[in-house]
Amino acid sequence: MENLMTVKNLTKSFKENKVLNGISFDVRTGEVLCILGPNGAGKTTTINILTAALGSDGGEICFKGAKIGRHLRAYKQVLGIVPQDVALYDELSAERNLRFFASLYGLHGDVLTNAVNEALVFAGLDDRRHEKVKTFSGGMKRRLNIACAIAHHPELVIMDEPTVGIDPQSRNHILDSIKKLRDNGMTIIYTTHYMEEVETISSRIIIMDHGAIIAEGTKESLKEDIENEKRYIIQVEENGKIAAEQFYSIEGVKSVKINGDAIEITSLKGIENLDRIIGLLSDCGERILNITSEAASLEMVFLKLTGRKLRD
Amino acid sequence: MQEGIIVRRFLSIFKMDIINLFKNPVLIGYNTVLAALLILIMGFLCSGNYTNIKDAFQYYAVSLLVYGMLGGAITASNCFMERDIKRPNLRIIYSPVGSFPIYFSKILASFVFDYSLHILLMVILCPLLHVTLGGQPAFFILLMAPIEFVAAALGIFFCCIFHCEETTSMLLNTVRSLLCVLGGSFFSLDGMGSALAFASRLSPVKWLNDAFFALSCDNSLALFWPVFIGASVISALLVLGCRMLFRTEDYI
């Protein structure tokens, strides 16, 4: 796949607070690039700079090889943006919202009408096209929010956490829609802090934390490093009788994190040591309430890279 | 071809701004019902200070119309940065329309909205309260235009400075009330001693009141052109100021 967009050394500070520390990455034609990171990682700032709504302090963005600053209108013309907040006129109907936002991209006449009809079908709102947005559920608004961004058939769609605060049914509908867009050849940049979404739709993943990219690759390549690891989460009744260091004497244990009454142990996959871990806990007088085991996941990748969970 | 697309996009935004304003019952009520009630109440309560109630209504219809016109700044700031409107407006920033149509459309839409409602108000109140707009009402109506435009441009200009509708509205409302009290919108300060009369003459609202009273009561055009040209120049300067101060990142 060829590069559609290249981002080099992007920096941004708000007063003394450095939000982006020189991030660089490529966006390839036809892929779904997921930017994953906790709140405050710099995802939305990155998105705002990519949409040209916010200037950067340093670095450059090239779209199809040309700097976007020099061809801003042409760049914006092929861009579709789904902002984090629902950006719709509540007092107007779904169709009227779509007509207006698509017209800003120069669509008119039959082309506009067809684009609006297509977008309404895409959002599953064809039968409610004349109803005011204020009567819609949160999920319907989110779907229309996406439809408004793709009605003009952009080459690159940037979605900033488009599924925040919606029901699972609407979330699935949105994720299916994104897969459909990807299958139709649209390039998508998608930010989220939901691991499951990344697992479902991503072609490639960028993991951000504290304004920097800490990992980049496909989900398979990111999991490679931890493929030979497993994680136990042991819930005890009243922790305090055992220290993390005591577990390191057990063969295979790589890291231990004690979080209140939960003990998280990362161990090598091929070594069966659960009985020894349980034995150690019993010897120390700990009463075990629950044990769960996790296979390699992006959550584990993030934990390994940052030492904390994505939603900590 | 390119110009045609730019004009079409601008008209599309302008139309949406107008629709949003005319779908806002609070703003419509503020500019019509509330303004009419204020004129009726003030005219009725202060009628003892005038030869008859007709004169009281004449005074307050004109002076409170000026007060209402200056309130156009609040309409404009609402149209530009009110929370529920700001979010969908963000999509305009993302689109390839450029920044000028974004704020200029809000100025123009607020101007059209306030101007049309105030004309409607006068058309209804004049025969009802026996208020006269003078021998040449067209000049009265024409003079309203640059004042309405200044108010709208002022609202957007201050939004560009403060990036916040609430702060802009609060500040402009306070300044407007102060200048209107000084300018004699609620009661004339001319008969309250030389110091207050002098302070009153410093308020631009007093100049506006004088210009509209000269047109409506004396059929005099003496102040028409100075006010018309002065307001037009200020409007142009405010639009220029918006162009210099407006940054898309203040909107996100």
Side-chain angles (χ1 to χ4, degrees):
Chain A
M1 278 194 282
E2 64 185 54
N3 279 352
L4 184 69
M5 181 187 257
T6 310
V7 178
K8 280 185 200 159
N9 291 322
L10 218 55
T11 57
K12 181 70 185 174
S13 297
F14 293 111
K15 292 182 181 165
E16 298 300 302
N17 184 21
K18 201 157 193 184
V19 182
L20 293 180
N21 297 308
I23 62 166
S24 303
F25 61 91
D26 297 323
V27 184
R28 296 166 196 166
T29 306
E31 75 172 349
V32 179
L33 176 69
C34 285
I35 303 179
L36 182 69
N39 291 330
K43 302 188 301 285
T44 298
T45 304
T46 306
I47 292 298
N48 283 335
I49 294 173
L50 294 184
T51 59
L54 184 68
S56 65
D57 296 338
E60 64 175 38
I61 302 167
C62 294
F63 186 78
K64 291 184 174 175
K67 283 187 186 177
I68 62 164
R70 291 186 189 156
H71 309 89
L72 201 55
R73 256 187 208 181
Y75 171 64
K76 285 185 166 186
Q77 182 67 40
V78 295
L79 211 58
I81 294 149
V82 183
Q84 200 174 102
D85 293 324
V86 172
L88 302 165
Y89 293 111
D90 267 355
E91 289 293 330
L92 303 183
S93 68
E95 183 177 352
R96 198 131 194 204
N97 268 284
L98 274 164
R99 285 194 85 83
F100 171 63
F101 292 125
S103 73
L104 295 178
Y105 292 83
L107 271 60
H108 61 100
D110 288 344
V111 178
L112 176 64
T113 305
N114 291 338
V116 167
N117 290 340
E118 255 178 58
L120 281 164
V121 172
F122 170 83
L125 294 169
D126 194 27
D127 54 337
R128 302 192 66 171
R129 57 167 61 213
H130 300 301
E131 290 177 36
K132 284 185 181 180
V133 170
K134 69 178 178 186
T135 65
F136 286 4
S137 68
M140 288 160 79
K141 283 181 186 176
R142 286 273 171 198
R143 272 145 55 192
L144 184 60
N145 203 33
I146 295 175
C148 286
I150 56 119
H152 62 286
H153 298 118
E155 288 180 44
L156 174 63
V157 184
I158 299 177
M159 300 184 176
D160 191 10
E161 308 206 22
T163 58
V164 169
I166 56 168
D167 57 282
Q169 195 187 349
S170 290
R171 178 184 301 244
N172 289 339
H173 186 285
I174 287 174
L175 295 180
D176 287 343
S177 311
I178 291 166
K179 282 186 215 161
K180 234 180 269 172
L181 292 176
R182 180 194 60 194
D183 295 343
N184 289 338
M186 224 174 246
T187 308
I188 297 164
I189 299 176
Y190 188 97
T191 77
T192 183
H193 57 263
Y194 294 118
M195 293 289 184
E196 319 81 67
E197 294 184 357
V198 176
E199 297 264 9
T200 312
I201 59 168
S202 70
S203 313
R204 269 190 324 127
I205 303 159
I206 285 174
I207 300 180
M208 283 185 78
D209 196 28
H210 298 304
I213 293 175
I214 56 172
E216 188 178 349
T218 60
K219 57 187 171 213
E220 291 80 15
S221 71
L222 287 172
K223 284 181 193 171
E224 226 164 57
D225 282 350
I226 56 161
E227 206 61 62
N228 58 346
E229 290 176 2
K230 59 188 169 184
R231 191 160 68 120
Y232 301 119
I233 301 163
I234 304 167
Q235 201 76 36
V236 293
E237 193 174 58
E238 196 182 333
N239 187 37
K241 296 167 186 164
I242 194 161
E245 291 73 36
Q246 290 176 258
F247 289 98
Y248 289 110
S249 61
I250 299 171
E251 191 194 359
V253 172
K254 285 187 75 184
S255 70
V256 180
K257 194 178 168 196
I258 298 179
N259 209 346
D261 293 336
I263 302 168
E264 293 172 17
I265 300 171
T266 307
S267 173
L268 289 174
K269 213 174 190 176
I271 300 169
E272 296 306 324
N273 53 8
L274 185 58
D275 53 342
R276 292 189 61 197
I277 292 169
I278 294 169
L280 178 64
L281 284 165
S282 300
D283 291 348
C284 293
E286 292 283 11
R287 191 160 166 252
I288 298 167
L289 299 178
N290 188 29
I291 300 177
T292 51
S293 172
E294 280 182 9
S297 68
L298 287 171
E299 180 80 49
M300 281 177 75
V301 174
F302 189 80
L303 187 70
K304 188 177 179 183
L305 290 167
T306 65
R308 60 199 166 92
K309 283 184 182 175
L310 189 61
R311 281 173 235 177
D312 271 354
Chain B
M1 178 71 177
Q2 190 63 28
E3 284 78 13
I5 293 171
I6 292 169
V7 170
R8 199 162 48 225
R9 283 172 178 167
F10 177 79
L11 289 177
S12 192
I13 298 170
F14 172 68
K15 192 174 142 193
M16 184 53 72
D17 288 335
I18 286 281
I19 290 171
N20 281 323
L21 282 170
F22 277 100
K23 278 183 175 274
N24 188 328
V26 177
L27 284 178
I28 292 174
Y30 179 78
N31 281 291
T32 52
V33 180
L34 195 73
L37 279 175
L38 203 60
I39 292 167
L40 283 169
I41 292 167
M42 289 300 287
F44 183 73
L45 288 178
C46 301
S47 57
N49 299 336
Y50 297 86
T51 319
N52 53 45
I53 197 165
K54 201 178 131 190
D55 283 354
F57 282 139
Q58 176 70 35
Y59 183 83
Y60 285 109
V62 173
S63 67
L64 291 178
L65 176 71
V66 171
Y67 176 76
M69 285 194 283
L70 297 177
I74 287 118
T75 305
S77 65
N78 184 287
C79 170
F80 192 40
M81 285 197 171
E82 197 269 329
R83 206 178 303 135
D84 290 341
I85 291 288
K86 196 175 167 181
R87 269 181 284 163
N89 277 349
L90 192 60
R91 282 194 188 276
I92 305 173
I93 297 217
Y94 291 142
S95 74
V97 296
S99 61
F100 179 75
I102 297 169
Y103 57 83
F104 191 69
S105 154
K106 297 337 179 219
I107 296 175
L108 208 58
S110 306
F111 161 72
V112 169
F113 175 78
D114 286 323
Y115 193 32
S116 54
L117 287 185
H118 290 145
I119 289 173
L120 180 73
L121 182 72
M122 292 318 277
V123 165
I124 294 169
L125 284 188
C126 283
L128 277 177
L129 304 178
H130 303 292
V131 171
T132 172
L133 302 183
Q136 295 167 297
F139 279 98
F140 190 100
I141 301 289
L142 195 62
L143 190 58
M144 286 166 67
I147 311 301
E148 301 271 17
F149 200 92
V150 165
L154 201 66
I156 303 294
F157 179 74
F158 274 83
C159 276
C160 288
I161 294 174
F162 296 113
H163 325 303
C164 172
E165 186 236 345
E166 285 90 351
T167 312
T168 302
S169 296
M170 199 175 68
L171 182 83
L172 289 178
N173 224 349
T174 310
V175 172
R176 173 179 71 140
S177 300
L178 193 74
L179 291 178
C180 284
V181 168
L182 271 179
S185 295
F186 305 103
F187 43 85
S188 175
L189 300 183
D190 288 344
M192 296 185 172
S194 58
L196 278 178
F198 176 74
S200 179
R201 276 198 297 278
L202 292 178
S203 167
V205 176
K206 170 77 174 161
W207 314 338
L208 295 178
N209 283 342
D210 286 350
F212 281 104
F213 281 126
L215 275 173
S216 59
C217 302
D218 307 332
N219 291 327
S220 165
L221 286 171
L223 293 170
F224 178 86
W225 288 111
V227 170
F228 191 91
I229 293 167
S232 302
V233 170
I234 293 169
S235 297
L237 289 174
L238 286 170
V239 172
L240 198 67
C242 292
R243 191 182 168 84
M244 287 162 68
L245 292 173
F246 179 70
R247 296 182 312 164
T248 52
E249 56 196 81
D250 297 329
Y251 216 82
I252 56 176

